[in-house]
Amino acid sequence: MAFIDSHCHLDFAEFDATREQLIRQSLELGINHFIVPGVSLAQSYSLTSFAKQYPSVYIAIGLHPYFMAEHSDEHLDELNKLAHKHKDQLVAIGECGIDRSIENIAKQTQIFEYQIELANQLELPLIVHHRQSHDLIAQSFKRCKPKFGGVIHAFSGSLQQANSYIKLGFKLGVGGVITYERAQKTRHVIAQIAPEHLLLETDAPSMPLAGFQGQHNTPLQLPLVFDQLCQLKQVTSLNRNDLKQRLYDSCSALFRI
């Protein structure tokens, strides 16, 4: 039985000194695929080369709201050209979305909806970032309906919101958040969602698990996220492999890997 880390930034500089060893150790743990999202135009360009170096890496390209100050209308055109040129390399468009902690919601929305349309053109799923923005994302989805689903990265929301995403063909990203006792709402929701609607992720080097605060997160922590999910779902030792397989199949089906 194997794992897929459905969201990790292995190309980030934090891993420059340890990347080869980290990938080798991950493979030894049964983590045999990594989905690496794009966050900016420049980094999306570099990902097309990065993926060729590592057979276990699959990539998405996109414009993340954190880098809103960098993004321009020209970047949208360039992202479009890059996506069409490297379509065969891509498993998704993203990381894209809307974040209320960042200024200029109107520009964020424009860029997000452009990427929804791009994903639809290329028949690809979306990797969606949110922060205090489920309502805004829902509005964008009404104006520009995603046709090939995707994943709501680091999902934290209500059961109603979770089911709304699932009805649109989205899966929910499950990571380190569920290891924190204070995240009771998210833990309660995730416990109720069927495994075929969930993906495991780390968001490495971000989102460290409880007990590892202040450290860079890595894909090596993915089995600990799985352990916590097993506890939330009250999965017995006899059924762990079944849950692991269903999560693997969920990710494989979404990203077609």
Side-chain angles (χ1 to χ4, degrees):
M1 294 295 177
F3 291 109
I4 301 172
D5 190 340
S6 68
H7 193 117
C8 57
H9 299 279
L10 281 179
D11 61 315
F12 280 14
E14 288 90 337
F15 297 121
D16 284 351
T18 61
R19 188 175 294 112
E20 303 286 345
Q21 179 183 7
L22 177 58
I23 291 176
R24 184 172 63 252
Q25 290 174 327
S26 296
L27 293 173
E28 290 170 356
L29 280 179
I31 306 162
N32 62 2
H33 296 302
F34 311 88
I35 310 297
V36 180
V39 296
S40 68
L41 181 63
Q43 181 254 3
S44 291
Y45 270 110
S46 68
L47 276 179
T48 60
S49 299
F50 182 81
K52 294 176 181 178
Q53 300 176 52
Y54 303 102
S56 54
V57 166
Y58 295 86
I59 62 168
I61 62 172
L63 305 179
H64 192 300
Y66 280 176
F67 299 88
M68 194 55 52
E70 296 181 21
H71 306 331
S72 66
D73 290 342
E74 289 77 14
H75 283 189
L76 296 178
D77 292 337
E78 287 297 316
L79 187 75
N80 189 307
K81 293 175 184 176
L82 182 66
H84 280 85
K85 180 178 179 180
H86 294 279
K87 179 183 177 181
D88 292 345
Q89 274 190 283
L90 305 182
V91 297
I93 296 297
E95 183 174 355
C96 56
I98 302 175
D99 190 317
R100 268 203 171 91
S101 72
I102 297 168
E103 294 181 351
N104 204 336
I105 294 297
K107 182 180 178 183
Q108 288 190 54
T109 301
Q110 174 205 0
I111 291 174
F112 178 43
E113 293 181 6
Y114 184 95
Q115 291 176 93
I116 299 173
E117 292 177 355
L118 179 59
N120 287 343
Q121 289 173 23
L122 296 174
E123 301 183 358
L124 290 172
L126 291 160
I127 298 174
V128 178
H129 168 92
H130 69 90
R131 180 173 291 178
Q132 300 174 343
S133 57
H134 288 302
D135 58 324
L136 299 175
I137 289 169
Q139 291 169 23
S140 286
F141 283 173
K142 286 181 180 178
R143 287 189 294 267
C144 186
K145 184 178 180 179
K147 298 178 181 178
F148 299 93
V151 55
I152 307 300
H153 164 52
F155 177 79
S156 60
S158 68
L159 184 60
Q160 180 181 8
Q161 289 165 336
N163 285 327
S164 294
Y165 286 127
I166 289 168
K167 286 179 182 178
L168 287 171
F170 280 80
K171 300 178 187 290
L172 311 180
V174 180
V177 169
I178 67 167
T179 66
Y180 289 86
E181 284 293 331
R182 66 175 183 268
Q184 285 301 315
K185 183 181 77 170
T186 300
R187 287 159 56 90
H188 179 69
V189 171
I190 294 300
Q192 298 178 74
I193 302 296
E196 56 264 31
H197 303 308
L198 303 176
L199 304 181
L200 294 179
E201 60 180 28
T202 62
D203 199 24
S206 301
M207 287 178 60
L209 281 62
F212 297 89
Q213 295 93 323
Q215 301 179 33
H216 288 149
N217 196 12
T218 80
L220 298 177
Q221 303 292 62
L222 198 68
L224 298 181
V225 177
F226 175 70
D227 289 344
Q228 186 64 58
L229 183 62
C230 288
Q231 291 183 37
L232 289 181
K233 290 189 168 296
Q234 299 180 335
V235 171
T236 66
S237 58
L238 292 175
N239 294 323
R240 283 173 62 92
N241 282 344
D242 177 65
L243 176 59
K244 185 188 290 188
Q245 186 66 56
R246 291 172 73 183
L247 293 166
Y248 187 95
D249 291 346
S250 174
C251 193
S252 295
L254 177 66
F255 295 118
R256 304 171 207 161
I257 59 175

